[in-house]
Amino acid sequence: MNWKKALCLMVMVLFALGAVGCGGSPEKPKAEEKKPIKIVFWYSIGGKVAETTKVLVDRFNASQKDIVVEAIFQGSYDDAINKLKQSIVSKSAPHVMQVYDIGSRFMIDSKAVVPVQKWVDADKMDLKTFEPNLLAYYTVDNKLYSMPFNTSTPILYFNKNMFKEAGLDAAKPPQTFDEVAAAARKLTIKDGSGKVTRPGITIAIYGWFFEQLMAVQNAFYANNENGRSGMATATAFNSPEGEKILSWWQGMVKEGIAGNIGRKTADTQKAFIGGQTAMTIDSTGVLGDIVTGVGGKFEVGTAFLPRPEGAKGGVIIGGGSLWMLSGHPDAEEKAAWTFIKFMSDAKQQAYWHINTGYFPVTMKAYDDSDLKAHHAKYPQFKVAVDQLHSTPITKATQGALLGVFTQSRQEIETAIETVLNNQATPKEALTKTAGIVDAALTRYNQTAK
């Protein structure tokens, strides 16, 4: 060994000894921290509902470190559906999406969803505590496609003070079409010239209400048992049951005992809150807003949705549910399911119900102490719960599956307007509407295939 090699060896030895002397054994490289799985959640509905949605998302993100949910507001339900169509093409769909009830047929036909039944089975999740009527709506071909989230039904709201003044028993609100008309007659106020200054009832021209009034008669909105036993190929609302609804409504408006102020439910809510009408029909989801708006000026009463004498049906749930979109890695899909489970948990659903008015999707939520206190404050909501629980699960009350439901609802509203304005008979209006919707449905079904 020459002196140069010996010198190099000595330097290396000294360097090694110095490293050991300074810090003991050499440091191992730090393992990279595991990044949380990111889940994108699209939601609709603004205002207080949006605020409550964000609170629940924040709760989920704070509850663990493995998953982070990015919640993105998409505007109206229709806006969200249109954005989804684009995202499916570009393969940039979210992991979870809130979709309205009448979008169910499109979601299934899109072939871009993961039925939650897949994860319910994999997780051996017990659905016995969930509201059966809510699950029934989103169950198609014995498969739960989405998880109910924001759900409501319509009820009759009435001014108890006006009932007492008119000699009506507020403890026995009207239950049938005829009883509503009779009560409205007594509650209507006219001035000296006979002009109506306060109608007995005011109902918004809303297609959802027509669908509900068909369901309480256990009547189908579409063929093939509402599209539940096979793809709906035509509407079924041009029927004696459909005519009965429009005849009852038109009769009250003609007589002057029912007000007609258009399609906006916000306008009829305002009229009821302001004491400009004695009764109205609206969603259970606005009960808190109505009671708060009234502010103690009068006592708010609630009752089951009225029906023709002897009708044996029930109400259909409205609102929306949480859908899982396909095309994501297994780990992300599982994380999306974890998020959906959290959102449907009893504690979260109790908070959701208290702050939005929507039904809890699980009956366990009714055991929550805060929810019990809320119901003590708003006893009117018991009527909504009783109505839901007394509704028989049939193909009619499960609701129709229609690929062109948004258009159908708008066309029905136009039909109601023409009837209330005496421009057509109920039969004429429904026949025309059925023709328009059936043609659109045929085009949709061909495209879907």
Side-chain angles (χ1 to χ4, degrees), residues 65 68 194 242 274 281 298 407:
K65 296 179 181 180
V68 60
I281 288 173
F298 60 85
Q407 180 183 350

Side-chain angles (χ1 to χ4, degrees), residues 3-205:
W3 67 271
K4 286 184 179 181
K5 287 184 178 179
L7 182 61
C8 286
L9 183 61
M10 188 179 295
V11 169
M12 289 173 68
V13 171
L14 290 172
F15 179 80
L17 290 172
V20 173
C22 290
S25 60
E27 289 186 14
K28 293 180 181 178
K30 288 184 179 178
E32 287 188 22
E33 289 188 13
K34 185 182 177 183
K35 290 183 179 180
I37 297 172
K38 181 181 175 182
I39 297 301
V40 176
F41 167 46
W42 284 7
Y43 67 99
S44 298
I45 309 182
K48 192 174 181 181
V49 176
E51 293 171 12
T52 308
T53 301
K54 285 186 282 187
V55 168
L56 292 184
V57 171
D58 290 342
R59 278 187 178 184
F60 175 77
N61 286 337
S63 70
Q64 43 72 53
K65 296 179 181 180
D66 297 327
I67 307 166
V68 60
V69 173
E70 180 185 6
I72 305 173
F73 180 65
Q74 296 298 331
S76 71
Y77 283 127
D78 289 333
D79 290 339
I81 288 285
N82 289 330
K83 291 176 183 176
L84 177 65
K85 290 175 182 177
Q86 297 168 8
S87 73
I88 290 173
V89 174
S90 61
K91 297 184 178 179
S92 58
H95 298 81
V96 180
M97 180 177 173
Q98 181 187 23
V99 180
Y100 56 179
D101 50 351
I102 60 175
S104 298
R105 182 73 264 172
F106 165 76
M107 293 300 288
I108 295 170
D109 293 339
S110 74
K111 303 293 192 295
V113 302
V114 178
V116 297
Q117 189 72 53
K118 169 185 174 180
W119 287 97
V120 168
D121 293 342
D123 231 5
K124 296 181 180 177
M125 186 178 186
D126 184 8
L127 295 177
K128 290 178 183 176
T129 62
F130 282 66
E131 291 283 5
N133 295 71
L134 275 53
L135 295 178
Y137 187 99
Y138 297 106
T139 298
V140 182
D141 297 329
N142 298 315
K143 188 184 296 181
L144 183 64
Y145 269 86
S146 60
M147 183 62 74
F149 182 51
N150 52 301
T151 54
S152 60
T153 58
I155 53 175
L156 178 73
Y157 290 85
F158 64 97
N159 185 316
K160 286 190 173 184
N161 297 46
M162 290 180 183
F163 263 57
K164 292 171 186 174
E165 291 166 7
L168 295 168
D169 188 350
K172 296 179 180 178
Q175 298 178 2
T176 67
F177 281 5
D178 289 344
E179 288 175 1
V180 167
R185 203 168 286 122
K186 289 186 177 182
L187 291 160
T188 298
I189 294 179
K190 300 178 181 179
D191 61 17
S193 64
K195 182 181 178 183
V196 174
T197 57
R198 189 195 73 196
I201 187 169
T202 303
I203 308 170
I205 298 172

Side-chain angles (χ1 to χ4, degrees), residues 221 233-239 402 404 407-408 411-412 415 426-444:
Y221 187 91
T233 57
T235 57
F237 53 67
N238 183 16
S239 62
L402 214 62
V404 293
Q407 180 183 350
S408 182
E411 295 293 348
I412 281 289
K427 180 66 176 175
E428 290 168 346
L430 290 175
T431 299
K432 181 180 178 181
T433 301
I436 295 171
V437 179
D438 287 353
L441 183 57
T442 297
R443 291 191 297 272
Y444 172 86

